[in-house]
Amino acid sequence: MDANMAIFNGLLKGLGVTLQVLIYSVLLALVLSFIIGFMSLSKWRIPRWSATLFIEVFRGTSLLVQLFWLYFSLPILGIRLPAMLVGVLGLGLNYGAYGAVVVRTSIRAVPKGQTEASIALNMSPYRRMRSVILPQAFLIMLPTFSNLTIELLKGTSLISLVTLADLTFQALALRSATMETTQIFIYLLIIYFIIAYPITLGFRWLEKKQSVGRG
Amino acid sequence: MWSWDFAISILPQLLQAMVVTIEATIVGFIVATVLGLFWTICRRSSIKPLKFAVVAIVEFVRSTPLLVQLYFIFFVFPTFGITLSPFSAGVLGLGLHYSTYLTEVFRTGIDSIPKGQWEASTALNLSKIKVWTHVIMPQAIPPIIPMLGNYFIVMFKETPLLSAISIVEMVQAAQIIGSNSFRYVEAFTDVGVIFLLLSYPASLLFQYTERRIQHRFDLSVKASKIEEDHYATNK
Amino acid sequence: MPRTSDASLLNQEPYVKYRNIGMKFGDTEVMKGINFDILSGEKVAMIGPSGSGKTTLARMLMTLEKPTEGTIEIGGKLLWHRRANGKLVDANLKHLRQVRGQIGMVFQQYNLFPHMTILRNVMEAQVHVLGLTKKEAEDRARKILKKVGLEHKCDAYPAQLSGGQQQRVAMARAVVMKPKIMLFDEVTSALDPELVGEVLEVIREIAEEDEMAMLLITHEMAFARDIADRVVFMADGQIIEQGPPEQIFNYPQHQRTKNFLSRFSTEFH
Ligand SMILES: Nc1ncnc2c1ncn2[C@@H]1O[C@H](COP(=O)(O)OP(=O)(O)OP(=O)(O)O)[C@@H](O)[C@H]1O
Ligand SMILES: [Mg+2]
């Protein structure tokens, strides 16, 4: 019973860190997705090419490599960041690249007739994006963003490898302290699942709400 | 600060570790394919409890981190008397995790086969096995080859996690180099560049075959969009 | 409204002027040297075989497709260009938006905004383009929706409407902006035959009541003959022949026109 409590308290501490990193990096990834996604749709070459470079570099090299690079290399280059920031930055940049592709694909998926109708109504490019294209693209993005958020949640476990005391890190620490290996890891898996499930449900709810009336 | 000499001098060591990375990807992919097909068949089975159990397993494995699953296999299995080498544990974890993605891919392929093919098979009185091996699979697999290829790349990029259970793949090798020389920048930059040089051309190749195959099989635009999203999500 | 006589048409300065228009898609030239006018308030029907360039001509005016050669003037202003130091340069967005305000278009595929209610579809551009208040925009939207017989559908979404109803909303949405010229591109050809009538009826009403000019691309010959002041026949990227409906339909001068119209002959005799 006592061991159980100790395990629980230990994991709970890690849960806080995991959730914190999750929220910050989701926000960073979301902002980057839209900025890079819009850049990649630009009619000018420079933003378009920079966006492609960003996307391919962060998708093409592995997340763990990026985290280690930030963790080990930045201090040597004279940039000192708190471990938490390294984690958020690594996850945000990596998933931001994937998100940018989702934004780009979704905006392109809105039928061309919608753009033409907006032009025929003499809407400004801003208004066209804001009132017509984005609301429709947003609905297309939702299921994929839902999956991406789950991927990001799973990705947060990697920050334990750069010494951030998240759920996974705490589990490893508890394992060497208590040797209750089986119990600890079963709890750990269940906790991750319990975080993931409401995220999926939340996105499904949002999707349903957004698609009211749209056949 | 940055030393080209050092960055080049460690390449042989890293390329040696790359062999392990590629081996793990290939074996892991085979495991994922076999398990993925198994899940797919179970999900089509008429035995309700089996179907339900498999759906639950797939959902659970997909929603929890690969890293934790690797630890689970590596640390928990031995307490039940199953002791695996790090490499076996690694490819089993990698394969199990991605089998839950591949089962979706297989399902897409099978679902895209028109109902008429099943009905024609019944009309010809083909055996169940023959239907699968001669009619369904030959049609279901080619269109999903690009998606499978894409997951191969995804798994390749996930192999660094195997370093956590002491497999000396590229990231582990880089860490060893770094701790001996304190030249982490060169070591990890090299690894990143190697990953990019291998995965980017491969993904271009699969994008190209995807377009070719789509053309040939005349998959709808919508299907291609879902595929693209699929890739986007499941790096 | 009495039909404008040909004589009075001749004395008027055209409202829209296509001058020496050429169009290439990639390497294929689809039209060349087109000159074409539309007067203020004139109702022009455009007919012709598939691929003859009717849609392209309308889309150029709606600023959806830039002609590769020539100029278009509307209300005395260049559409795609602007004069700078006596030379023609490409117009910027500001200029396009200014001129585009005179033009409205109804599409074959309706292109309603699927995520907005019918009412909002008709209000959106009034608020954000004309700068009306929500209240004014809503009043006008309800009024025009009533006119097309859809006031009871204000809160529905496009997907919940039939094709004919959607097309009527699309017309309300365009008319409410009070353009000086309205383009209709085969607005009934995506509809089931039994829904065509209700849409044509709305067009007829607009044509009879409204002062605005119309360019009506259509395969409904009887309807074209009925409401048009002038009929234009296009083929192979050329304007082959144009004139009052009686003349074009009853005494076509060119063999191509005759061949084309013979396919519809049952409708006229
Ligand atoms: N975006 C485009 N790219 C390439 N060719 C085009 C494009 N749009 C039109 N064309 C070509 O231009 C020519 C004129 O097309 P347009 O759509 O204007 O004909 P139309 O008279 O409206 O025909 P329909 O009665 O079938 O609508 C056709 O040969 C068509 O193939
Ligand atoms: Mg047309």
Side-chain angles (χ1 to χ4, degrees):
Chain A
M1 201 61 225
D2 253 10
N4 250 331
M5 279 309 282
I7 292 171
F8 231 84
N9 288 337
L11 288 178
L12 227 51
K13 260 191 279 172
L15 178 65
V17 175
T18 293
L19 288 179
Q20 229 173 322
V21 169
L22 175 67
I23 291 168
Y24 292 146
S25 39
V26 163
L27 289 178
L28 176 60
L30 194 64
V31 171
L32 283 175
S33 299
F34 277 92
I35 295 176
I36 307 290
F38 275 118
M39 277 168 63
S40 72
L41 289 167
S42 164
K43 60 180 167 189
W44 294 293
R45 259 182 246 154
I46 303 223
R48 216 171 51 224
W49 287 351
S50 339
T52 306
L53 187 68
F54 179 94
I55 289 170
E56 296 310 341
V57 165
F58 282 99
R59 290 201 309 179
T61 59
S62 180
L63 172 59
L64 189 59
V65 177
Q66 290 157 28
L67 279 173
F68 276 146
W69 198 95
L70 290 172
Y71 182 76
F72 286 115
S73 308
L74 285 183
I76 293 172
L77 299 173
I79 305 163
R80 270 184 200 287
L81 297 176
M84 173 83 94
L85 195 57
V86 171
V88 170
L89 202 61
L91 289 163
L93 289 168
N94 186 272
Y95 287 94
Y98 286 98
V101 178
V102 178
V103 169
R104 178 176 67 193
T105 320
S106 308
I107 289 180
R108 281 205 186 128
V110 175
K112 226 174 125 226
Q114 294 292 309
T115 304
E116 297 188 344
S118 320
I119 293 175
L121 290 169
N122 205 13
M123 289 183 182
S124 63
Y126 168 79
R127 180 49 54 191
R128 190 193 319 158
M129 200 34 98
R130 171 79 187 63
S131 285
V132 179
I133 307 297
L134 265 189
Q136 295 182 62
F138 186 64
L139 189 64
I140 304 173
M141 288 171 207
L142 276 180
T144 323
F145 270 155
S146 170
N147 291 345
L148 263 187
T149 311
I150 302 297
E151 293 295 325
L152 201 159
L153 165 66
K154 295 193 289 179
T156 59
S157 66
L158 269 60
I159 59 175
S160 64
L161 299 172
V162 290
T163 67
L164 260 163
D166 77 326
L167 271 171
T168 306
F169 186 92
Q170 294 289 2
L172 288 174
L174 287 167
R175 174 180 169 268
S176 28
T178 65
M179 289 318 277
E180 298 278 0
T181 309
T182 312
Q183 223 169 343
I184 294 169
F185 281 103
I186 287 179
Y187 284 161
L188 182 61
L189 284 169
I190 291 175
I191 294 175
Y192 274 111
F193 186 73
I194 291 177
I195 308 173
Y197 203 59
I199 295 178
T200 310
L201 289 184
F203 270 102
R204 249 180 244 164
W205 173 81
L206 201 60
E207 205 184 330
K208 214 176 209 166
K209 205 182 113 188
Q210 288 292 313
S211 53
V212 170
R214 294 195 221 179
Chain B
M1 178 170 284
W2 165 273
S3 158
W4 282 106
D5 285 345
F6 186 77
I8 291 165
S9 73
I10 58 175
L11 277 181
Q13 229 173 316
L14 290 175
L15 291 178
Q16 218 174 343
M18 187 183 83
V19 176
V20 179
T21 295
I22 291 175
E23 276 171 4
T25 312
I26 293 173
V27 181
F29 188 76
I30 294 170
V31 174
T33 307
V34 173
L35 268 176
L37 276 172
F38 178 70
W39 303 138
T40 309
I41 293 167
C42 290
R43 283 162 79 170
R44 297 185 65 90
S45 133
S46 49
I47 310 162
K48 277 262 160 66
L50 177 67
K51 219 161 120 175
F52 181 78
V54 167
V55 169
I57 292 171
V58 167
E59 188 66 35
F60 189 82
V61 172
R62 212 185 199 321
S63 311
T64 50
L66 170 59
L67 181 61
V68 178
Q69 288 160 12
L70 288 172
Y71 286 141
F72 193 90
I73 292 169
F74 196 60
F75 293 134
V76 178
F77 277 22
T79 64
F80 294 98
I82 310 166
T83 307
L84 298 170
S85 71
F87 187 83
S88 310
V91 293
L92 181 62
L94 195 62
L96 171 70
H97 193 80
Y98 280 96
S99 71
T100 63
Y101 291 83
L102 291 197
T103 177
E104 292 298 330
V105 176
F106 292 131
R107 196 170 66 158
T108 313
I110 293 167
D111 284 353
S112 70
I113 291 176
K115 229 173 115 206
Q117 294 295 311
W118 296 95
E119 289 168 358
S121 308
T122 312
L124 292 171
N125 202 17
L126 294 175
S127 73
K128 210 164 184 175
I129 305 241
K130 275 265 153 58
V131 174
W132 278 101
T133 54
H134 283 67
V135 181
I136 303 304
M137 279 311 175
Q139 295 185 76
I141 297 293
I144 59 173
I145 285 174
M147 279 200 252
L148 293 176
N150 204 76
Y151 276 113
F152 186 81
I153 305 172
V154 170
M155 290 175 71
F156 171 65
K157 286 184 286 187
E158 288 281 84
T159 51
L161 295 196
L162 302 188
S163 65
I165 52 171
S166 72
I167 297 176
V168 185
E169 43 61 70
M170 278 194 285
V171 166
Q172 183 79 337
Q175 241 173 328
I176 293 168
I177 294 168
S179 62
N180 289 338
S181 63
F182 285 98
R183 291 205 157 273
Y184 285 104
V185 185
E186 287 86 348
F188 282 115
T189 307
D190 277 4
V191 175
V193 170
I194 293 172
F195 265 107
L196 192 63
L197 285 182
L198 288 174
S199 68
Y200 186 53
S203 75
L204 288 184
L205 177 74
F206 284 120
Q207 263 172 42
Y208 172 75
T209 46
E210 188 190 350
R211 273 197 297 272
R212 290 286 305 267
I213 286 179
Q214 236 166 57
H215 198 66
R216 215 173 112 208
F217 288 83
D218 199 24
L219 291 183
S220 69
V221 178
K222 192 153 179 205
S224 82
K225 215 205 81 50
I226 290 166
E227 273 172 46
E228 206 173 318
D229 278 356
H230 230 85
Y231 294 174
T233 323
N234 307 317
K235 21 156 218 142
Chain C
M1 188 188 82
R3 214 172 251 175
T4 337
S5 78
D6 286 337
S8 77
L9 291 183
L10 290 174
N11 303 332
Q12 226 177 308
E13 175 68 8
Y15 180 59
V16 174
K17 293 194 244 182
Y18 289 80
R19 284 297 172 267
N20 203 21
I21 291 292
M23 185 66 182
K24 276 183 183 167
F25 287 109
D27 286 339
T28 27
E29 189 163 61
V30 297
M31 58 179 66
K32 197 178 171 182
I34 291 228
N35 290 295
F36 175 54
D37 294 340
I38 302 171
L39 305 181
S40 296
E42 191 187 14
K43 321 297 186 212
V44 179
M46 186 170 271
I47 58 173
S50 184
S52 56
K54 308 179 296 292
T55 296
T56 307
L57 213 57
R59 287 168 59 84
M60 284 172 177
L61 188 55
M62 191 63 263
T63 66
L64 295 172
E65 212 94 68
K66 189 174 188 295
T68 42
E69 245 176 81
T71 58
I72 301 176
E73 254 181 56
I74 174 162
K77 273 190 186 153
L78 284 169
L79 180 62
W80 280 105
H81 305 89
R82 157 175 82 79
R83 270 181 225 288
N85 308 327
K87 277 207 291 190
L88 282 188
V89 293
D90 285 353
N92 55 19
L93 181 67
K94 193 175 156 212
H95 175 88
L96 279 179
R97 288 204 63 210
Q98 205 180 9
V99 186
R100 186 149 80 192
Q102 322 288 313
I103 312 157
M105 182 161 182
V106 182
F107 299 85
Q108 185 175 343
Q109 296 298 340
Y110 336 130
N111 293 343
L112 292 181
F113 304 134
H115 57 299
M116 298 181 189
T117 61
I118 299 309
L119 188 65
R120 241 196 99 199
N121 258 282
V122 183
M123 285 171 59
E124 192 71 11
Q126 294 189 68
V127 173
H128 294 294
V129 177
L130 302 182
L132 300 186
T133 65
K134 284 221 164 115
K135 179 82 184 54
E136 292 170 314
E138 183 174 341
D139 287 347
R140 289 177 41 161
R142 285 189 188 280
K143 215 157 110 199
I144 197 122
L145 282 168
K146 186 165 182 188
K147 208 158 144 189
V148 300
L150 288 169
E151 73 270 37
H152 59 294
K153 292 288 187 192
C154 281
D155 299 320
Y157 284 87
Q160 299 161 337
L161 267 55
S162 74
Q165 291 172 327
Q166 289 192 48
Q167 194 58 293
R168 276 143 66 197
V169 175
M171 277 189 266
R173 182 176 74 172
V175 168
V176 85
M177 300 295 286
K178 295 210 185 304
K180 295 255 171 51
I181 178 165
M182 182 82 113
L183 315 172
F184 296 86
D185 187 6
E186 301 196 21
V187 294
T188 56
S189 51
L191 296 175
D192 292 338
E194 74 269 21
L195 299 177
V196 169
E198 66 187 54
V199 172
L200 294 184
E201 212 36 59
V202 172
I203 300 179
R204 186 192 307 273
E205 245 171 68
I206 300 170
E208 279 167 3
E209 285 175 23
D210 230 294
E211 292 291 285
M212 69 186 159
M214 282 187 180
L215 177 62
L216 183 76
I217 299 169
T218 186
H219 288 302
E220 303 284 337
M221 298 301 157
F223 185 72
R225 152 186 264 191
D226 216 26
I227 72 155
D229 300 319
R230 176 160 56 112
V231 176
V232 179
F233 174 69
M234 261 192 106
D236 300 329
Q238 304 270 316
I239 292 179
I240 305 288
E241 174 164 11
Q242 51 182 316
E246 298 77 21
Q247 182 194 317
I248 299 294
F249 288 118
N250 296 342
Y251 311 103
Q253 303 295 303
H254 288 74
Q255 194 53 43
R256 293 238 31 194
T257 323
K258 287 179 195 164
N259 291 346
F260 177 75
L261 288 172
S262 66
R263 279 187 268 151
F264 299 89
S265 57
T266 46
E267 282 181 50
F268 304 113
H269 299 295

